[in-house]
Amino acid sequence: MEVRQSDFGNGTNLFSMVNDNGVRLDVSDFGARIVNLVVPTDTGERNIVLGFESSEDYTTQDSYIGATIGRVAGRINSGRFKLDGKTYQVQTNTEAGHTLHGGAPSFEGKIWQSQIIRTEDEVSVMFTLTSPDGENGFPGNLTTSVTYSLNNQNEWTLVYQAQTDQTTLYNPTNHVYFNLTGDVETPIDGHELTVMADQFAVLNSDGTVTGEKRDVSGTSFDFRTAKSLKDCFELANGAQKDLFSGIDHPFFLSHEKGADVILQSPDGKVSVEVETDQETIVIFTANFGQDKMDMRGKTLGHHGGITFETQAAPGAIEFEDFGEIVLRPDQVYHAKTIYRLKF
C-alpha cells in the first residue's frame, strides 16, 4: 500500500492512496474532497466517482462535488435557528433565502491542513480545519478533522471528529457522486439501488423539509428491495420525485444487519455498499436538468451521478425526531461511514 502526493493547482495538493489490489483513492486538501476512486475490472480500470482534473475546475464549475460539507449539510430554513434561547441568523445563499451547506464559501472552498498516516492495515490522509467564531454567522471556534482511509479489504472509510469552544451546530457530510459505469455521460438510470429505510423526509418545493416522515411503501422511494433507478424515475405515483425530477431526499435508515445502502452497476461488475453510524442518508440523483458540466473531457448531464450523504437529517434543528446537531464545548463529535467496494 502506498500514498503519493502531487500538485492539484493553485497551491493545493492531490493525495493518491493505492492498495495492493489496485484500488486508487485520490483526495485533495482543497475542500477535503474525494477526486477519483478507481477500481480494476476485467475490462480495465474504472473511475466510479465524479470529479475534476484540477482545483480550479471545482471553483469555476461546482465546488460541492466530492467535498466535505459543513458546518451544516443541507438547508437551514431562512438561515435562522435558536440555541439556548438565543436566535442566530446565519448567511443565506439560496434563491429561496435559506442557508445551504453552511453558507458560501464554507468547508468546500478551504485549503485544509493535511497529514499522511500509514499503518500495517491501511493508508490514510487526515485533513484538519479551524472554522473561526462567527464564520458565516455560526457561533464558536470549531476545530474539525476528516480522515480518508483505504485498506486491502477494498474499503474506503471516512471518519469525522470535531470540538467547539461555544455551543454551535455541526452536521457534516461528504458530497461524493457515484457513477459505477465509469462514464460521466452515461446516466445512472440503469444502476440498481437498495436502501434499508422505511421512511423518507417530505420536502417543500424549495428543498426544505416539511417535518413529515413518510412511509416509503407504495412510493417511488421504496428501495428496500433492489430496483433500478429508472423504475423510480418513471413511476407514475411519485409526486415527491416529480418535484425535483429525481431524488433529493433524506432517508431514515433502519440499520438492519448488513449494509445500509447498496448500489450496483448496470453490468453487474461493480458495487458499493455503504455502512454508517449516522441515522440518515441524503440521496441526490444529480437532477441538473439542462445544466451541463465539462468533466474529464466529457459532458456531465442530468442524472449523471448519485450521492450518499450520511448525516443527521436536514431540519434537525427544527424537528426533534430528525436527529441531533447541537455540539457543545464538553462534547467531541464523531461519525464514521464505510464505502465497501466490490468488483
Side-chain angles (χ1 to χ4, degrees):
M1 303 182 73
E2 62 175 332
V3 185
R4 301 188 297 265
Q5 183 175 343
S6 57
D7 180 70
F8 201 50
N10 295 326
T12 67
N13 297 281
L14 188 73
F15 301 87
S16 299
M17 293 173 270
V18 184
N19 74 5
D20 295 340
N21 304 313
V23 176
R24 190 180 90 239
L25 171 63
D26 292 345
V27 299
S28 176
D29 53 7
F30 180 61
R33 76 182 68 242
I34 179 172
V35 176
N36 300 299
L37 183 55
V38 179
V39 300
T41 72
D42 57 9
T43 55
E45 290 187 334
R46 191 179 295 189
N47 193 347
I48 61 172
V49 302
L50 304 188
F52 296 112
E53 295 177 313
S54 72
S55 60
E56 184 177 0
D57 291 331
Y58 290 97
T59 302
T60 58
Q61 296 200 75
D62 190 326
S63 62
Y64 293 135
I65 290 179
T68 297
I69 302 297
R71 296 187 185 192
V72 177
R75 289 169 175 81
I76 300 174
N77 198 341
S78 301
R80 193 175 298 114
F81 58 88
K82 279 188 176 183
L83 282 176
D84 299 334
K86 181 178 179 180
T87 299
Y88 291 87
Q89 177 65 59
V90 295
Q91 182 198 90
T92 57
N93 59 327
T94 71
E95 290 183 1
H98 306 303
T99 302
L100 177 65
H101 295 337
S106 196
F107 287 6
E108 79 290 341
K110 301 289 186 66
I111 299 177
W112 296 51
Q113 297 296 309
S114 58
Q115 178 184 356
I116 295 172
I117 303 168
R118 297 177 175 90
T119 69
E120 290 184 5
D121 302 321
E122 63 185 14
V123 288
S124 306
V125 179
M126 181 173 69
F127 297 114
T128 56
L129 179 74
T130 297
S131 175
D133 178 32
E135 184 170 39
N136 292 350
F138 290 94
N141 294 293
L142 179 83
T143 301
T144 184
S145 70
V146 56
T147 303
Y148 287 79
S149 300
L150 178 67
N151 62 25
N152 279 330
Q153 287 70 54
N154 303 320
E155 294 172 333
W156 158 35
T157 301
L158 273 173
V159 174
Y160 303 85
Q161 288 188 293
Q163 289 183 283
T164 179
D165 62 0
Q166 296 180 48
T167 300
T168 192
L169 301 186
Y170 196 54
N171 188 22
T173 195
N174 184 276
H175 216 291
V176 60
Y177 286 85
F178 288 97
N179 185 324
L180 303 187
T181 69
D183 182 1
V184 303
E185 292 186 331
T186 300
I188 55 169
D189 301 42
H191 288 60
E192 279 201 346
L193 178 64
T194 306
V195 183
M196 302 310 297
D198 298 325
Q199 296 177 310
F200 70 94
V202 177
L203 301 185
N204 296 304
S205 60
D206 62 4
T208 56
V209 296
T210 67
E212 177 190 352
K213 289 182 175 181
R214 184 171 295 176
D215 195 311
V216 299
S217 301
T219 75
S220 55
F221 292 167
D222 190 351
F223 293 100
R224 291 173 295 185
T225 301
K227 71 178 181 185
S228 75
L229 284 160
K230 181 180 180 181
D231 289 345
C232 166
F233 297 150
E234 294 182 351
L235 194 65
N237 61 335
Q240 279 285 298
K241 173 262 302 181
D242 293 339
L243 198 60
F244 300 98
S245 190
I247 310 171
D248 192 8
H249 292 73
F251 288 75
F252 297 93
L253 299 170
S254 54
H255 285 309
E256 299 177 10
K257 187 177 180 180
D260 296 304
V261 173
I262 303 172
L263 183 70
Q264 183 168 288
S265 63
D267 62 7
K269 292 183 178 181
V270 180
S271 66
V272 176
E273 298 181 356
V274 184
E275 187 175 327
T276 184
D277 58 9
Q278 297 299 283
E279 297 303 314
T280 309
I281 190 162
V282 176
I283 298 177
F284 175 55
T285 51
N287 312 319
F288 296 144
Q290 297 301 310
D291 294 336
K292 308 289 184 183
M293 280 183 273
D294 296 325
M295 183 174 287
R296 301 176 187 141
K298 295 188 175 183
T299 301
L300 173 71
H302 190 56
H303 292 166
I306 183 171
T307 72
F308 300 128
E309 303 165 51
T310 57
Q311 58 180 95
I317 193 61
E318 296 180 78
F319 306 105
E320 289 185 3
D321 60 345
F322 272 42
E324 178 58 72
I325 64 170
V326 175
L327 181 65
R328 300 185 182 279
D330 60 347
Q331 298 173 321
V332 177
Y333 177 89
H334 185 276
K336 181 178 181 179
T337 297
I338 301 171
Y339 300 90
R340 194 168 289 114
L341 313 174
K342 298 189 176 182
F343 47 87

